[in-house]
Amino acid sequence: NPNCWLLTLVGMGGIGKSVMARALCEDSAVQAAFPDGILWTTLGQEPDLITKLREWIQALGGTIGEHAPTEDTLKARLADLLEDRACLLIVDDVWQQRHAEAFRVAGEHCRLLLTTRDAEIPRSIGIDVQPIPTMSESEALELLREWANGVLDEADEDILKEIIEKLGRLPLAIKLAGAQFQRKSPEKWLERY
């Protein structure tokens, strides 16, 4: 499969795509597999692709000869720098297909990982998609309790289940709510929700 070096983590905002990608970066086996380094960029809705490409070229020790290089010349320069390297390339928060294409530059020993909310972006350019599932009820409850820092030890389980369901079992939303329970009861929180 010519796209085996391409993978995308897909899921709604707050589900943990970036957290999972960051965990990969911190894994010692992943670091060993990519001795030439891990490059990370976060795009968002309106990225400056020229700047993002320049940053990666500079991180690899490359130079940019043109005064006003184009996206295509920077992409070609980056591809040259990666040709014989083993790097993990992570492009976080991709919103458009064109933006993903700008970073399809990996050499034979590199791997590219994208994160996006839109599964059609990677599919349209032939990149494998790995959906990020929502947390299980038990995982979500555990995370909520952890972020509440012991305050919920005596809380009604049914109320906590209602809270995590209202939050869609999204890790980021659960962490934020858990921190709020240090100042507010779950019942009061539900009333205001």
Side-chain angles (χ1 to χ4, degrees), residues 151-164:
V151 174
L152 299 177
D153 291 346
E154 304 299 320
D156 181 303
E157 186 87 2
D158 289 334
I159 290 176
L160 298 182
K161 288 179 180 178
E162 184 179 350
I163 289 168
I164 63 168

Side-chain angles (χ1 to χ4, degrees), residues 1-37:
N1 178 358
N3 291 319
C4 65
W5 56 275
L6 305 167
L7 178 66
T8 304
L9 299 177
V10 175
M12 62 179 55
I15 201 162
K17 301 175 299 292
S18 300
V19 172
M20 290 186 77
R22 179 68 59 200
L24 276 173
C25 294
E26 295 171 5
D27 184 272
S28 59
V30 171
Q31 292 172 357
F34 300 103
D36 294 315

Side-chain angles (χ1 to χ4, degrees), residues 86-118:
C87 293
L88 175 59
L89 312 175
I90 298 177
V91 183
D92 186 35
D93 199 20
V94 177
W95 284 72
Q96 293 182 31
Q97 175 185 335
R98 184 179 78 76
H99 300 160
E101 287 283 4
F103 292 90
R104 285 187 63 168
V105 294
E108 182 180 340
H109 304 289
C110 295
R111 300 293 179 265
L112 175 64
L113 174 67
L114 306 176
T115 71
T116 185
R117 298 175 186 196
D118 184 355

Side-chain angles (χ1 to χ4, degrees), residues 17-72:
K17 301 175 299 292
S18 300
V19 172
M20 290 186 77
R22 179 68 59 200
L24 276 173
C25 294
E26 295 171 5
D27 184 272
S28 59
V30 171
Q31 292 172 357
F34 300 103
D36 294 315
I38 298 172
L39 296 173
W40 180 294
T41 193
T42 301
L43 298 184
Q45 290 182 349
E46 302 287 332
D48 179 351
L49 295 176
I50 298 283
T51 297
K52 301 290 186 177
L53 290 164
R54 275 180 180 269
E55 289 169 354
W56 277 14
I57 290 168
Q58 290 168 346
L60 293 169
T63 57
I64 303 158
E66 297 180 48
H67 180 5
T70 66
E71 188 179 308
D72 287 338

